[in-house]
Amino acid sequence: SLPIVFTMGGDPVAMGLVASLNRPGGNVTGVSFLTADLTPKRFELLRELVPKSKLIALIVNPGTPSTPDQIRGAQDAATAAGMRLHVERVRTEPEIDAAFSVLARLRPDALLIGTDAFLGARQSQLVQAAARLALPAIYEASNAVVAGGLISYGPSINATYLQLGEYTGRVLAGAKPATLPILQPTTFELFINLRTARALGLTIPQALLLRADEVVQ
């Protein structure tokens, strides 16, 4: 009986939390990042940064419901570009280290970090591991770029939480969650770390710099 307003990265319909995006039903509504939908976009950003790349690696958590969609999106993008995709699946910190040991042998041209709460909480480990291999990597959250990662692209956390707050206010004013459609992000952020790019020997295209919301010097 308690109204619930949420934010989440996956698809709330696929996870069985709501009946549909337009008509949630029940007593639950909120904002979904729908992060898997952005995987092809992140793939294309990597291609802009490393245009001669042939092999892209993807690290995902197999325990996340959106993982199959993330893999499918990356694979479709790779196939369309005539490139190869290698997928590493990790659930624990030791498995992250093991995955990078595999990547050290494979030597991919760039790395795509999947979107997941587990991976998001270990950005520092991922950033440091990518740096040791001199591997250009793209992340979902901007805090990875602030911590030394090369580039990130994803929904604005601040803007999304504002959406959450507005919905919470409407529910407190008497609106029924069942009638409030699941919201999706409307603001997306591109962060680039120039210091990391220089360390990797990469020249960031001017067009990409102009599109960036923040450039970390």
Side-chain angles (χ1 to χ4, degrees):
S1 62
L2 183 69
I4 296 175
V5 183
F6 65 77
T7 60
M8 64 179 302
D11 183 343
V13 178
M15 297 181 71
L17 295 180
V18 299
S20 72
L21 296 181
N22 289 331
R23 301 284 295 182
N27 212 17
V28 179
T29 191
V31 188
S32 173
F33 289 96
L34 295 178
T35 49
D37 294 352
L38 298 179
T39 301
K41 175 64 176 179
R42 295 192 187 97
F43 190 97
E44 289 305 315
L45 287 169
L46 272 182
R47 286 191 64 206
E48 286 190 56
L49 286 172
V50 192
K52 296 182 179 180
S53 54
K54 302 295 183 183
L55 174 63
I56 301 289
L58 169 66
I59 291 181
V60 293
N61 177 2
T64 298
S66 67
T67 289
D69 290 332
Q70 294 184 53
I71 295 175
R72 189 178 306 111
Q75 185 60 68
D76 289 347
T79 300
M83 299 165 60
R84 292 183 295 128
L85 179 73
H86 173 80
V87 181
E88 285 290 323
R89 296 167 174 83
V90 301
R91 294 177 183 265
T92 65
E93 291 184 2
E95 287 183 353
I96 292 177
D97 292 333
F100 275 94
S101 295
V102 173
L103 298 185
R105 296 193 299 270
L106 287 178
R107 302 305 302 174
D109 300 298
L111 172 63
L112 177 61
I113 301 296
T115 57
D116 162 71
F118 165 72
L119 294 173
R122 286 152 184 84
Q123 299 281 26
S124 178
Q125 181 183 5
L126 293 163
V127 167
Q128 292 173 20
R132 285 195 296 271
L133 297 184
L135 191 56
I138 188 168
Y139 308 80
E140 175 191 20
S142 59
N143 62 342
V145 175
V146 175
L150 176 61
I151 185 173
S152 68
Y153 181 77
S156 166
I157 300 298
N158 289 341
T160 301
Y161 283 149
L162 282 175
Q163 291 177 295
L164 175 72
E166 291 169 358
Y167 252 24
T168 302
R170 292 178 64 178
V171 170
L172 289 173
K176 302 298 182 183
T179 65
L180 296 176
I182 303 300
L183 297 176
Q184 298 179 35
T186 57
T187 304
F188 299 87
E189 296 178 331
L190 174 63
F191 277 52
I192 299 172
N193 191 315
L194 278 185
R195 184 175 63 252
T196 300
R198 286 193 291 268
L200 293 170
L202 292 176
T203 299
I204 306 296
Q206 187 64 23
L208 199 56
L209 288 174
L210 293 174
R211 284 152 49 194
D213 296 278
E214 185 166 334
V215 176
V216 178
Q217 299 288 346

